[in-house]
Amino acid sequence: MGLNVSMSVLRRLNIEALLRHAFTSGTFTAAEAMEATSLTRATVLGLCDELTVAGWIEEAEDSRAAGLSRRGRPARRHRLRAGAGLVIGVDAGRSGYRAMAADLRGAALATARRELDPATVDRELRISTVQELVREVREASASTAPLLVTVIGIPAPVDSHGASPIEVGTFWRLMNSGFPAHLDGPVVVENDANLSALAEHAQHPEVNMATLLVGERIGAGLMVDGHLLHGALGGAGEMRFLEAALQDDIGAEGVASLARRWTLEGLATGRSSPALAAIPADALSAVDVFAAGQAGDELARDVLDRIGERIARIAAILVSLLGVERIVMAGAVASSLEPVLQRTREVLPDIAYAPFPELVASGLGRDVVVRGAIEHAVSRLREDPLALLDPPT
Amino acid sequence: MGLNVSMSVLRRLNIEALLRHAFTSGTFTAAEAMEATSLTRATVLGLCDELTVAGWIEEAEDSRAAGLSRRGRPARRHRLRAGAGLVIGVDAGRSGYRAMAADLRGAALATARRELDPATVDRELRISTVQELVREVREASASTAPLLVTVIGIPAPVDSHGASPIEVGTFWRLMNSGFPAHLDGPVVVENDANLSALAEHAQHPEVNMATLLVGERIGAGLMVDGHLLHGALGGAGEMRFLEAALQDDIGAEGVASLARRWTLEGLATGRSSPALAAIPADALSAVDVFAAGQAGDELARDVLDRIGERIARIAAILVSLLGVERIVMAGAVASSLEPVLQRTREVLPDIAYAPFPELVASGLGRDVVVRGAIEHAVSRLREDPLALLDPPT
DNA sequence: AGCATTAAATCTAGCAACTGAATTTAACGG
DNA sequence: CCGTTAAATTCAGTTGCTAGATTTAATGCT
């Protein structure tokens, strides 16, 4: 498999155009490809043959067999050969690690996960864990296809080149453990909230949106004008500004953390809550608070409302400053967030101006980051197919 | 003047590459162009001849005459023919109108300005004013070159397509007066703060920056990862979020307005200020406050400090949320802002985290918007030279 | 003045790759 | 079995690049 290493600029250009069409259009006829690439039939079919031999695309059933034409000679049809390459996405969180292998179209082939105690994890353990997960999903995918890209999401800012700033302390450095050097093939490191944003954006490609990845902390992935924002040192989407903006010391604390904090504060100031008071303070989890709220517990409801109001303030800033139309809450707790978002929608008109953004919870659950990683991998391929399919050297 | 209308894709590509090089590199030799375009000498010189005939580039003195080589046959040198085209930038503000004509490199050839009473201005008057200014600078430029683009800056949000949202009330619609239909040649409409940002960004192309265009109101132009942010309905950079974020009702009020407001409030609460108390309330201007501050007036100093603190809060948000490294204050009052920015730099470490952004006042004065318009025009040309130099139809 | 040296420009044949038109093929229906 | 339709295939013609050989324009040395 592989194309002529040295080809003319023009041919390269046309092959790329054709591959891009293959990526976006499923099965296609020569006529469609002619339209997309503005080449003649002879050239398109020539390229298709070449790419078929190289293994990047394959011939599909013809237009008559597919029931698309009645008269005339049936058109040959081609499609991207999904099995021509493998991509792997990894969510290398603080404690939770997930990996997913997918084909060229982004269809999942295998997944794996692992939990580690963040207190005892060092760079070596992070690297070996990711190595193992990659190996696992690669084997489980039962694919002999070449691994084209591995995208790794980490909970630290990452700039456009995959680097994280050196912090006082070493948390970011620990998270950005230098994966590229320890894995096969091209490796892309990206911030986890950014990957969530890519996952959500893939479902609404034309929309300006912010994705808030919430959990113990909160981070935003910002998609404006079709671009993911990075900023200097990968700082875009960093939420520490909340401290300055909302003038409290909560900063980038996440929903789970706030749920616990405010519940315990409520209990400490003597508020009654049969459901929550029964749980020992160090065992209380966000899930408990959400459950109690669902069951009608008043303290829990207040806490959730307060979280909703906080999200409304964040939303007000994002909408006005960035012209965002849609805000997605993602992360493990996303599925429980509807009551919180209800409150957000309620108060938003009081603190912001129309048009108000859509506020939704992500439907991707714990897989957002890993799905975003796959999405990122596939869109890299789409944008520059030859760089990854037929790399130089 | 004009190239072969129908040329091959490849030729088009190479011509574009060569023109791009001409735009960015001043005078160049064939060897340099070969490097930049990865074409052979024969091809580069062929293209240069063609473009010289077409009038887009011209031959300059050879490398020996320029003192660049001692041995061997001197290299022919070419450069963009600055006079091959004209671009015009317009700042169509609320009351102040400015226009500038420039050559292909962005060098100013002529300027013109006009003041109108905003209370009596309607769409027709705005259009005719801009038409007149364009005609004026075009004539004053003494250039017979074709007008390639006109870029118009307006104080209203503008989306990626040049449209402004329809507001309740009609201010934005009045500002975005449908200029393209009433002017010759391609016309681009853009938000004024965004154009300021382009003007500032041109001086530091690699830097993530926000430009705050301040006056009666405040608007931001955001350059992140080399892109100007627009957002839905052109809403990016809209500063009304400050109301929600800073929890006051000042919102997007600008420096000039705040200077007056807080001075009057100070005087009303009985603060003494020999300099400012003498000025009748309805005659007080921001310039007076800046002057009094300069002279050591205590009330004025307090007001300026307060403004500086407000800017610090804005800076804290921009830095954290967008990873901005540099914040430029632009607009008519920019040159007086140094004392304000001093205060901003002082308090920023208290409310934000390192790394802190550079905080500077724009050196472009009242011309920021119009310069940004020219910059925008030239960079459009640079990005897609053939579209404007040799338009289809 | 004449000649070697250097570095560029120019000329040439050759070739890659696309286009357009003519021809062939693959179906169907009467 | 033949006409019709719509596609694939073939092929000559053209564009536009490259690589290499040749020529040109300068300088400096003898």
Side-chain angles (χ1 to χ4, degrees):
Chain A
M1 215 152 67
L3 262 62
N4 190 344
V5 186
S6 77
M7 64 180 115
S8 86
V9 176
L10 185 54
R11 193 146 192 87
R12 187 169 201 92
L13 207 77
N14 288 337
I15 288 182
E16 268 178 2
L18 186 59
L19 277 176
R20 229 184 315 268
H21 180 68
F23 262 107
T24 48
S25 75
T27 311
F28 61 93
T29 64
E32 286 158 14
M34 287 164 66
E35 169 77 28
T37 59
S38 53
L39 294 168
T40 55
R41 165 170 268 108
T43 312
V44 165
L45 287 171
L47 289 177
C48 282
D49 288 346
E50 196 171 332
L51 290 177
T52 304
V53 171
W56 310 131
I57 65 175
E58 62 192 357
E59 196 153 356
E61 56 175 7
D62 69 38
S63 66
R64 184 173 312 273
L68 296 171
S69 70
R70 320 217 98 265
R71 283 197 294 273
R73 176 171 178 172
R76 290 169 62 189
R77 289 162 77 239
H78 294 264
R79 65 164 158 258
L80 192 68
R81 201 168 73 84
L86 193 68
V87 297
I88 292 181
V90 181
D91 174 4
R94 219 168 70 88
S95 61
Y97 295 74
R98 297 173 162 251
M100 178 182 278
D103 65 25
L104 281 192
R105 288 223 191 69
L109 299 174
T111 58
R113 46 170 163 261
R114 196 139 320 166
E115 286 289 326
L116 294 180
D117 175 7
T120 66
V121 166
D122 57 8
R123 276 169 80 90
E124 283 65 43
L125 185 51
R126 268 177 76 76
I127 289 169
S128 61
T129 304
V130 169
Q131 282 175 327
E132 277 171 38
L133 285 173
V134 165
R135 201 176 316 128
E136 256 177 60
V137 292
R138 192 166 182 186
E139 275 164 24
S141 75
S143 163
T144 57
L147 174 55
L148 299 181
V149 221
T150 305
V151 176
I152 303 182
I154 61 168
V158 177
D159 68 19
S160 317
H161 311 293
S164 294
I166 312 301
E167 203 194 7
V168 186
T170 53
F171 180 71
W172 289 346
R173 199 176 131 66
L174 170 60
M175 290 300 112
N176 198 349
S177 312
F179 297 109
H182 296 89
L183 291 168
D184 294 335
V187 175
V188 175
V189 176
E190 182 53 277
N191 171 264
D192 54 2
N194 284 355
L195 292 180
S196 308
L198 290 171
E200 294 296 331
H201 184 74
Q203 305 181 12
H204 304 267
E206 296 305 314
V207 177
N208 292 285
M209 55 201 291
T211 303
L212 303 181
L213 184 61
V214 293
E216 289 307 306
R217 295 185 63 73
I218 184 168
L222 307 171
M223 299 284 319
V224 181
D225 306 337
H227 297 285
L228 180 63
L229 304 190
H230 282 98
L233 307 173
E238 180 59 44
M239 301 301 269
R240 289 198 294 196
F241 76 93
L242 290 172
E243 249 173 74
L246 306 185
Q247 315 200 13
D248 56 34
D249 57 351
I250 297 174
E253 220 172 284
V255 168
S257 171
L258 287 176
R260 282 202 311 277
R261 173 203 280 252
W262 284 338
T263 299
L264 292 175
E265 278 178 16
L267 292 171
T269 57
R271 292 203 46 177
S272 74
S273 162
L276 297 171
I279 303 170
D282 56 354
L284 180 77
S285 82
V287 178
D288 300 323
V289 182
F290 284 113
Q294 195 72 30
D297 180 276
E298 229 181 273
L299 173 57
R301 294 295 271 270
D302 285 353
V303 167
L304 297 185
D305 279 357
R306 212 169 145 194
I307 294 175
E309 288 153 24
R310 192 176 171 79
I311 293 173
R313 299 217 158 267
I314 298 173
I317 295 175
L318 292 175
V319 170
S320 165
L321 186 60
L322 294 176
V324 147
E325 298 149 277
R326 183 183 168 91
I327 296 178
V328 183
M329 308 295 298
V333 291
S335 58
S336 322
L337 278 180
E338 194 43 44
V340 171
L341 291 180
Q342 253 160 38
R343 179 67 184 156
T344 304
R345 293 187 201 104
E346 220 171 278
V347 299
L348 196 54
D350 298 335
I351 59 169
Y353 295 89
F356 302 109
E358 265 182 285
L359 278 154
V360 297
S362 165
L364 297 172
R366 291 190 140 83
D367 281 337
V368 234
V369 175
V370 108
R371 273 249 57 107
I374 296 291
E375 210 54 62
H376 192 34
V378 172
S379 72
R380 288 227 161 189
L381 262 128
R382 230 194 319 265
E383 279 158 29
D384 193 0
L386 282 181
L388 295 167
L389 284 170
D390 190 39
T393 32
Chain B
M1 215 152 68
L3 262 62
N4 191 345
V5 187
S6 77
M7 62 180 116
S8 86
V9 176
L10 184 55
R11 194 144 191 86
R12 187 170 200 90
L13 206 77
N14 288 338
I15 288 183
E16 268 179 2
L18 186 58
L19 277 175
R20 229 184 315 268
H21 180 68
F23 263 107
T24 48
S25 74
T27 311
F28 61 93
T29 63
E32 286 157 17
M34 288 164 65
E35 170 76 29
T37 60
S38 53
L39 294 168
T40 56
R41 164 170 269 110
T43 312
V44 164
L45 288 172
L47 289 176
C48 283
D49 288 346
E50 196 172 331
L51 290 176
T52 304
V53 171
W56 307 132
I57 65 175
E58 61 192 359
E59 195 154 356
E61 55 174 9
D62 69 39
S63 66
R64 184 173 314 271
L68 298 171
S69 69
R70 318 218 99 264
R71 282 196 294 273
R73 178 173 176 171
R76 290 170 62 191
R77 288 161 77 238
H78 293 264
R79 64 163 159 256
L80 193 68
R81 199 167 73 84
L86 193 68
V87 298
I88 291 181
V90 181
D91 175 3
R94 219 168 70 88
S95 61
Y97 295 75
R98 296 171 164 253
M100 178 183 279
D103 66 23
L104 281 191
R105 287 223 191 69
L109 300 174
T111 59
R113 47 170 163 261
R114 196 139 319 167
E115 286 290 325
L116 294 179
D117 175 7
T120 66
V121 166
D122 58 6
R123 277 170 79 90
E124 283 66 44
L125 185 52
R126 268 177 76 76
I127 290 169
S128 61
T129 304
V130 169
Q131 283 175 326
E132 278 170 38
L133 285 174
V134 166
R135 200 174 319 129
E136 257 176 60
V137 292
R138 195 169 178 182
E139 277 164 25
S141 75
S143 163
T144 57
L147 174 55
L148 300 180
V149 222
T150 305
V151 176
I152 302 182
I154 60 167
V158 177
D159 67 19
S160 316
H161 311 295
S164 295
I166 312 301
E167 204 195 8
V168 187
T170 54
F171 180 72
W172 289 347
R173 200 176 128 65
L174 170 61
M175 289 300 111
N176 198 347
S177 311
F179 298 108
H182 297 89
L183 292 168
D184 295 335
V187 175
V188 175
V189 176
E190 182 53 277
N191 171 262
D192 54 1
N194 283 356
L195 292 181
S196 308
L198 290 172
E200 293 297 332
H201 185 74
Q203 304 180 13
H204 303 268
E206 296 305 315
V207 177
N208 292 285
M209 55 200 290
T211 302
L212 302 181
L213 184 61
V214 294
E216 289 307 307
R217 294 184 63 74
I218 185 167
L222 308 171
M223 299 284 319
V224 181
D225 304 338
H227 297 286
L228 180 63
L229 304 190
H230 282 98
L233 307 173
E238 181 58 44
M239 301 301 270
R240 289 200 294 197
F241 76 93
L242 290 173
E243 249 174 74
L246 307 185
Q247 314 202 15
D248 55 35
D249 56 352
I250 297 175
E253 221 173 284
V255 168
S257 172
L258 287 176
R260 282 202 311 277
R261 173 203 280 253
W262 285 338
T263 300
L264 293 174
E265 278 178 17
L267 292 171
T269 57
R271 292 203 46 177
S272 76
S273 163
L276 296 171
I279 304 171
D282 56 354
L284 181 76
S285 80
V287 177
D288 300 323
V289 182
F290 285 113
Q294 196 72 31
D297 180 276
E298 229 181 274
L299 172 57
R301 293 296 270 271
D302 284 352
V303 167
L304 298 184
D305 278 357
R306 212 169 145 194
I307 294 175
E309 287 153 24
R310 192 175 170 81
I311 293 174
R313 298 217 161 269
I314 297 173
I317 296 175
L318 292 175
V319 170
S320 165
L321 185 60
L322 295 175
V324 146
E325 298 148 280
R326 183 182 167 92
I327 296 179
V328 183
M329 308 295 298
V333 292
S335 57
S336 321
L337 279 180
E338 193 44 44
V340 171
L341 292 179
Q342 252 160 40
R343 179 67 183 157
T344 304
R345 292 185 202 107
E346 218 171 280
V347 298
L348 197 53
D350 297 335
I351 59 170
Y353 294 88
F356 302 109
E358 261 182 286
L359 278 153
V360 296
S362 165
L364 296 172
R366 291 190 139 85
D367 280 337
V368 233
V369 175
V370 108
R371 272 248 60 106
I374 296 291
E375 210 56 61
H376 192 32
V378 172
S379 72
R380 287 227 162 190
L381 261 127
R382 231 193 319 263
E383 279 159 28
D384 193 1
L386 283 181
L388 295 167
L389 284 171
D390 189 39
T393 36

